[in-house]
Amino acid sequence: MAEIQLRNISKRWGAFVGVHKFDLTIPDREFLVLLGPSGCGKTTTMRMIAGLEEATEGDILIDGKRVNDLDPKDRDVAMVFQSYALYPNMNVYENIRFPLKVRKTDSGGHDERVRRAAEMVELTDFLHRRPAELSGGQRQRVALARAIVRQPNVFLMDEPLSNLDAKLRVSTRAQIKNLSHELKVTTIYVTHDQIEAMTLADRVVVMNKGIVQQVATPTEIYDRPANSFVAGFIGNPAMNLMEGELRGGTFVGKNVRIPGLKGPDGAVTLGFRAEDARIADKGEIAAPIYSLELLGDATMITVKAGGALVSIKAPKDFRAEIDDPIQAGIPAAICHLFDAKTGERIDP
C-alpha cells in the first residue's frame, strides 16, 4: 500500500530543464499514466521516483516518508522496462525468482511465489524455457512476473509494450489491466501511446517539454482538453484543430463558418472530434475531399478547412471520390475553443 507525493520536483541538467515543478499526489492503488511525446519528461519523472535520477529540487514521499536520499533498493518499488532485461543463462523460473534471491527473502516461500506470479501472466507452461526460446510478448510477461513476485508497494512501468507488435500490444495491455485490478498496487506507467493511456489509466498526466499540461481521468481529458496541445495529442484521430476568428459568436475560417459559439471576438483555434461531425446536404464546412480511408467500421474523410487537414467520420458505406465536393455538419455543441496565442481552453 503506497501513496506517492511529488512536491514540486524538478530536474535540470545545466540550463536544460527536463521536468519543471511537477506537483501531484498519487493515491494508494491508483493506476496513473504519464503520457506525452518523446523528450517530454515522463521517463525522467519515473526515474526520479525510482531513485535512478536525483531530483534537482522538490520532495518525493512514499507513504509520507521522504525518499529523495534513499537508494532505489530501499524504496520498495519494482520496475518493468521497455527492454526486457532478462538473464539469458537462466530459465523463466530463475528469472522470475531472481529478485527474491537478491533480497535474501526466506527461500521456503520462493516456489509458491514464483508459480503464483507465473500463473498470473500465463507462463506456467514456460518456466523451463530460456529467454531465447520465447516470443517478445512472452519475454515481456516474464519481466512483469519478475516485478510481481517482489510484492512491492509501487509498480513503475516504462513503455513496457513499445517493443511488441500491434496484436501483442492489445493482448498484453489487457493482461496489465487485469493485473492492476487483481494486485491493487499503486502503479505509474509511462507511455507515448495515447490509446494505452486511455485504456489503462485511472488518471492521466499529459506532459510536454517537462511541464504538466493536464491531470484528469481519461474521459475528462478526451471530452474537455485543457489546451490545444492536449486536444491535438489525445484521440485516434486526434481532435481537429482549425485556425480562424470569432466574430459575434460565429467562427470564420477558410471553407468553414460555424455560428452559435460563445467567446470573445478575435483569433481562436476551434476544435472538434471526427466522430462528432456528420456528412450533410448543407453544413458548416464546404470543401472538396482531400483523401478517403476505409477503416472497416467507418470511412474517414479528410478535407482542407481552416488552414488544416480536417477528419470527418462517415458511415462505412459512404462512397465518393477524391476532389468531390462535400459538406459537413459541425454544430456549435461539438466545438471546443482555444486561445490562438496561449492555446488555453476558452470556456463560455
Side-chain angles (χ1 to χ4, degrees):
M1 309 299 177
E3 177 188 84
I4 300 171
Q5 292 174 282
L6 307 177
R7 294 181 176 172
N8 290 311
I9 61 169
S10 296
K11 179 64 179 179
R12 292 188 296 272
W13 292 272
F16 178 76
V17 179
V19 177
H20 181 66
K21 293 191 178 302
F22 193 121
D23 189 70
L24 184 67
T25 296
I26 305 162
D28 179 37
R29 300 184 179 186
E30 181 171 67
F31 196 116
L32 184 87
V33 173
L34 304 179
L35 173 69
S38 297
C40 73
K42 55 190 187 294
T43 294
T44 301
T45 301
M46 171 177 284
R47 288 174 64 85
M48 286 191 287
I49 296 168
L52 301 176
E53 293 278 0
E54 186 177 343
T56 307
E57 60 186 46
D59 297 316
I60 302 167
L61 290 84
I62 299 179
D63 272 346
K65 180 182 179 182
R66 187 178 185 275
V67 298
N68 291 51
D69 301 323
L70 292 184
D71 291 336
K73 65 183 177 62
D74 298 322
R75 297 192 185 194
D76 200 13
V77 301
M79 284 198 74
V80 179
F81 295 95
Q82 177 178 344
S83 59
Y84 316 125
L86 304 180
Y87 296 99
N89 59 322
M90 297 181 185
N91 63 20
V92 169
Y93 183 97
E94 289 301 330
N95 264 285
I96 297 174
R97 183 186 175 210
F98 189 75
L100 301 178
K101 293 172 67 176
V102 169
R103 295 174 74 85
K104 296 182 171 61
T105 59
D106 179 16
S107 61
H110 284 197
D111 186 67
E112 182 182 349
R113 286 171 66 172
V114 169
R115 293 184 182 280
R116 172 64 176 146
E119 182 184 350
M120 292 175 82
V121 295
E122 300 177 16
L123 283 174
T124 303
D125 294 337
F126 300 91
L127 291 174
H128 62 286
R129 293 195 186 181
R130 299 212 172 176
E133 302 173 272
L134 303 176
S135 68
Q138 289 165 339
R139 291 182 204 178
Q140 191 56 275
R141 282 187 275 151
V142 176
L144 283 169
R146 189 173 54 190
I148 291 166
V149 81
R150 282 263 321 274
Q151 298 176 350
N153 269 334
V154 180
F155 281 124
L156 303 176
M157 300 188 184
D158 188 9
E159 308 229 26
L161 307 185
S162 59
N163 287 344
L164 305 181
D165 63 39
K167 186 176 179 181
L168 271 177
R169 276 203 301 273
V170 173
S171 59
T172 311
R173 192 169 70 219
Q175 269 189 322
I176 290 174
K177 182 81 171 179
N178 185 266
L179 281 172
S180 171
H181 174 76
E182 191 170 342
L183 294 170
K184 295 180 172 59
V185 174
T186 308
T187 303
I188 301 174
Y189 186 105
V190 163
T191 184
H192 64 274
D193 186 326
Q194 51 90 21
I195 294 176
E196 284 178 30
M198 299 295 281
T199 53
L200 290 172
D202 295 321
R203 279 193 305 166
V204 178
V205 178
V206 184
M207 300 181 69
N208 187 37
K209 297 178 180 177
I211 298 172
V212 173
Q213 304 294 311
Q214 186 171 3
V215 183
T217 65
T219 301
E220 289 173 309
I221 282 181
Y222 191 83
D223 291 342
R224 290 181 58 81
N227 55 43
S228 55
F229 172 81
V230 176
F233 195 77
I234 298 291
N236 187 25
M239 183 179 287
N240 295 304
L241 296 171
M242 301 183 292
E243 302 298 327
E245 286 190 351
L246 206 57
R247 301 175 189 165
T250 297
F251 176 83
V252 180
K254 188 177 181 182
N255 294 336
V256 57
R257 184 180 181 88
I258 305 173
L261 296 163
K262 295 180 181 179
D265 283 2
V268 295
T269 301
L270 181 139
F272 69 91
R273 299 261 178 218
E275 66 269 24
D276 293 334
R278 68 188 189 285
I279 301 301
D281 294 330
K282 186 176 181 181
E284 286 74 23
I285 286 179
I289 294 174
Y290 182 81
S291 74
L292 286 162
E293 298 171 271
L294 180 60
L295 304 180
D297 63 335
T299 300
M300 193 66 73
I301 302 166
T302 303
V303 300
K304 282 186 174 180
L309 291 176
V310 172
S311 299
I312 299 152
K313 219 171 198 179
K316 63 181 179 181
D317 57 358
F318 177 83
R319 295 291 180 267
E321 300 291 334
I322 290 176
D323 291 330
D324 284 354
I326 64 160
Q327 297 203 36
I330 317 292
I334 72 168
C335 294
H336 306 253
L337 291 176
F338 305 96
D339 187 284
K341 289 183 180 178
T342 66
E344 293 302 305
R345 183 182 186 84
I346 299 172
D347 283 318

